[in-house]
Amino acid sequence: MMNHSSCCQHPDITHGMWLDIDAVIAENRNTPGALITVMRKCQNIVGYLPAALLDYIARGLNIPGSKVFGVATFYSYFSLTPKGRNTIKVCMGTACYVKGIKESIDRISAKYSVKEGKTSEDKRFSLEAVRCLGACGLAPVMVVNADIHGSISADKVIDILDKYS
Amino acid sequence: MDKPRTQLMLCGGTGCHSTGMSAFKETLQQALEKENLSREIRIVETGCNGFCAVGPVMLVQPEGIFYQKLRPEDVPELIREHFLKGRPVKRLFYTEPASKESIPDMNSIPFFAHQQFRVMRNKGLIDPEVIDEYIARDGYFGLAKALQDMTPQQIIEEVKVSGLRGRGGAGFPTGLKWDFAHKSPGDVKYVLCNADEGDPGAFMDRSVLEADPHAVLEGMIIAAKAINSHQGYIYCRSEYPLAIKRLEIAIRQAREYGLLGMNILDTGFDFEIDIYQGAGAFVCGEETALMRSIEGRRGMPRPRPPFPARKGLWDKPTILNNVETLANIPQIMLNGGKWYAGVGTETSKGTKVFALSGNVNNIGLVEVPMGTPLRTIIYDIGGGIPERKKFKAVQLGGPSGGCIPESLLDTPVDYEAIAKVGAIMGSGGVIVMNENTCMVDMARFFMDFIQDESCGKCTPCREGTRRLLQILEKICNGNGEPKDLEDLVELSDVIKNSALCGLGQTAPNPVLSTLRYFRDEYVAHIVEKRCPAKRCVSLLRFEVDPDLCKKCGLCFQVCPAHAISWEKKQIAVIDKEKCIQCLSCYAGCRFDAIL
Ligand SMILES: Cc1cc2nc3c(=O)[nH]c(=O)nc-3n(C[C@H](O)[C@H](O)[C@H](O)COP(=O)(O)O)c2cc1C
Ligand code: FES
């Protein structure tokens, strides 16, 4: 087992998180193709994947750092930057687009000063445009943290979001 | 436990969840307990019923009474009248909008009456987390027959006779695919299930997985027997947590029942299934990219041949099938290929599940025989276009597909017929668009999606789709020139013919199909500098037409920027300094008076 206290220190990763990360790596070390699974679990632990953590995973799985970085940037699931306290996912699938989600997105951006793909300065919201959520019956759809909100519109969306601080 | 006299099949699909099904369920459960009815009457949370438009919905079995739009407040009346006195509550039946007639029986509702359920035959009727309920509806009987009475050749022959073609997009004959993998030499082979469902507007695979996960497992085990594979993977997108949970439960239960694992049904055949979660890349739905992704690498496609049937996952012979394709297999084993081919057209057999959404009244899942005209799906089942708006186009096949205009709505759903009119069957997303949709903007929307999802490996797709997007943006911004139309066509042809994988080869389809049927809209943008659907902000004036304005003040009410001044019996005026161009007033105005 690697000794993370001497080699990796990171302000966003607590001691408990390091222990969990070690467990994930140990469990998957000998499984071929486990890189994406390991990265998913690590991201769930920390909230995002800081560069130091990518290095740590690379060493733990004995994979070149460049490969780990390549995979991390290929898949939209992985985030290399920290997220806000709340994550807003707005669906940019066809059904939601046809039903006018763009107006809602514009309203959110203007109201909370947060651009698509970015986090607001006060760290309250991260705004992500995501692919079809498979809930097209409820279009336009927005997911805030784990809550699904269907049939949103530009004038309803602020009322919904104001409840998330 | 006593056998309940009544089962309340409450839909637990995503649609009904978000319309308040859990609050209703909780109130109902408490009321049943309070009335001491919870032994006789059992609530079963099912997978998606399909009729999301009127959710939350509940089917009372065995009577077959269908309730819709349920609220917690309805519980006391339901208990008192229906469950105690046996008098169904008419107020909560579905009402046919035209005739105002209340319909208690689910199968008489027009939305269901035109459908034929094969893939979705168990939806809303079983608890997807209880394997016994699947078995009670002939589940795993097809597997038993395939394992005990049939040779791999016979299984493949039966699938060939059925005429089943891949439901994931390309429509490749399933039996033929299995035959290639069966004949491929090698001791280690894989069976993969494509549950990536990347096409925006498609949600049937999700619903099948959530409503009837065992059907997919059974299909995979039969496929494994046919090609002699002992390991399978389901590649499921991580956006579908409930589908993944139900699959995990189903796999565990199948193992406990000896239907998965070592020595399945005492026939000496071994097969295991693991779930692999995607990480958000559309291209990973493509077969070679999907296999790379399972190997833990960047999901980039590679040229074929060699085909996966020879060299697939970890370079071993592999078959990949879509969720819906696999869910058809158990019934083909049980009832025979001839039965399956009994419905459909010359080249497209069986039924197809469509996800109907967009500007249509009855949003939901629809399963119809191949050959059903699009018009039947949109009008008879879908109930037409809401708010008296006009139909403009229907989009089929997602980013690889095309937009079909009104004049071609009698086209039957059939792989070849749909391709002939410039779209593709695709995975089955059907998105209806009304007159407020700008077709140039739709082409731009799809190209934006594609250039974002292009993996970047081959130049035609990486650079070509970006260039197409730039031209379309230029047109939407009001800077289009007549020559742009020729450039779009020429560039599209090059990309189609030279891209490495299906993503690039089909990427120009949305552009070409809108150019073919809605050329006048392109011309309006380029020559008249006008967006007929009033969606392209750069081409709008943000002015009120005094002749059309009815002085109603609706625009004044909806404007979030307080940029509109209006008083009773006065024409509204937009202050362009304050206007944030959010289009709220365009949506708010009933008289099309904003220019
Ligand atoms: C860019 C791209 C994305 C695809 N996405 C999916 C998908 O999300 N689901 C799917 O089943 N097939 C998808 N396919 C089709 C698969 O490559 C493959 O043909 C299919 O899964 C084979 O199964 P079938 O024969 O049962 O249809 C996609 C193809 C391409 C080119
Ligand atoms: S398009 Fe938004 S959920 Fe499908």
Side-chain angles (χ1 to χ4, degrees), chain A residues 32-33 36 40 70 73-77 92-95 97-99 103 107 131-134 136-138 148, chain B residues 18 201 203 206 237 276-280 282 293 295 297-299 358-359 363 431 441 444-445 453 535 560 582 584:
Chain A
I36 295 173
R40 173 201 320 286
T73 50
F74 185 84
Y75 294 99
S76 63
Y77 186 86
M92 271 302 258
T94 321
Y97 189 76
V98 166
K99 289 218 156 177
E103 279 83 345
R107 194 69 68 86
R131 305 186 302 144
C132 173
L133 294 159
C136 320
L138 314 169
I148 299 186
Chain B
S18 87
F203 52 96
R206 167 188 199 148
R237 44 188 314 217
Y276 199 91
Q277 285 190 49
F282 174 67
S293 185
E295 292 167 5
R297 299 195 277 165
R298 287 167 76 99
N359 304 128
I363 287 171
I431 298 154
D441 183 53
R444 186 203 58 74
F445 167 82
E453 295 290 347
R535 291 295 298 171
C582 70
S584 297

Side-chain angles (χ1 to χ4, degrees), chain A residues 131, chain B residues 165-174 177 192-199 205 237 282-288 290 301 304 320-326 400 415 427 450 501-506:
Chain A
R131 305 186 302 144
Chain B
R165 295 169 66 174
R167 301 294 193 238
F172 192 82
T174 306
K177 188 187 275 191
L192 310 184
C193 167
N194 193 340
D196 196 44
E197 194 149 67
D199 273 3
D205 292 350
R237 44 188 314 217
F282 174 67
V283 73
C284 286
E286 196 277 340
E287 55 182 10
T288 59
L290 183 147
R304 297 171 301 180
L320 171 70
N321 278 118
N322 165 265
V323 168
E324 190 186 332
T325 314
L326 289 166
S400 318
Y415 289 95
S427 50
I450 289 291
C501 82
L503 178 81
Q505 286 156 13
T506 58

Side-chain angles (χ1 to χ4, degrees), chain A residues 2 4 14 17 27 31 34 42 62 67 77-78 92 96 98 110 112-113 117 125 132-133 136 149 158 163:
Chain A
M2 275 181 284
H4 41 258
T14 62
M17 290 180 185
E27 186 191 330
T31 318
C42 289
N62 205 7
K67 193 182 160 197
Y77 186 86
F78 300 120
M92 271 302 258
C96 292
V98 166
Y112 301 107
S113 314
F125 289 117
C132 173
L133 294 159
C136 320
H149 300 277
I158 302 299
K163 300 198 183 85

Side-chain angles (χ1 to χ4, degrees), chain B residues 208-430:
Chain B
V208 170
L209 293 171
E210 289 179 3
D212 203 10
H214 286 285
V216 180
L217 299 188
E218 188 179 352
M220 282 181 81
I221 308 168
I222 294 167
K225 176 70 186 178
I227 70 162
N228 196 27
S229 154
H230 305 294
Q231 176 66 48
Y233 292 97
I234 301 174
Y235 188 91
C236 187
R237 44 188 314 217
S238 54
E239 287 91 339
Y240 290 178
L242 183 61
I244 293 172
K245 180 184 142 208
R246 297 236 160 108
L247 277 172
E248 282 167 351
I249 294 172
I251 289 174
R252 205 179 55 231
Q253 292 179 342
R255 268 191 209 129
E256 281 163 15
Y257 277 60
L259 296 162
L260 203 57
M262 304 293 266
N263 192 19
I264 297 174
L265 292 171
D266 281 332
T267 57
F269 179 66
D270 308 333
F271 185 61
E272 265 304 339
I273 298 179
D274 287 303
I275 302 172
Y276 199 91
Q277 285 190 49
F282 174 67
V283 73
C284 286
E286 196 277 340
E287 55 182 10
T288 59
L290 183 147
M291 291 169 200
R292 293 215 169 178
S293 185
I294 296 184
E295 292 167 5
R297 299 195 277 165
R298 287 167 76 99
M300 292 206 181
R302 61 159 177 81
R304 297 171 301 180
F307 286 96
R310 296 195 72 85
K311 263 182 153 197
L313 183 64
W314 310 110
D315 282 341
K316 305 291 182 205
T318 303
I319 52 171
L320 171 70
N321 278 118
N322 165 265
V323 168
E324 190 186 332
T325 314
L326 289 166
N328 272 305
I329 299 292
Q331 292 174 77
I332 293 176
M333 290 303 117
L334 202 56
N335 304 324
K338 267 217 189 86
W339 163 83
Y340 190 83
V343 301
T345 64
E346 190 59 38
T347 57
S348 312
K349 302 295 185 196
T351 57
K352 172 83 192 94
V353 184
F354 291 97
L356 190 58
S357 70
N359 304 128
V360 62
N361 277 314
N362 296 335
I363 287 171
L365 281 185
V366 172
E367 181 169 359
V368 289
M370 290 282 191
T372 304
L374 284 168
R375 195 183 295 282
T376 306
I377 298 178
I378 296 170
Y379 285 92
D380 299 333
I381 300 175
I385 321 296
E387 295 167 33
R388 295 207 199 140
K389 297 250 172 158
K390 278 211 228 45
F391 171 92
K392 182 179 270 181
V394 53
Q395 214 281 342
L396 250 63
S400 318
C403 294
I404 298 172
E406 166 93 51
S407 57
L408 293 171
L409 276 188
D410 291 316
T411 308
V413 290
D414 163 292
Y415 289 95
E416 279 66 32
I418 298 281
K420 224 168 96 194
V421 298
I424 61 165
M425 180 83 91
S427 50
V430 175

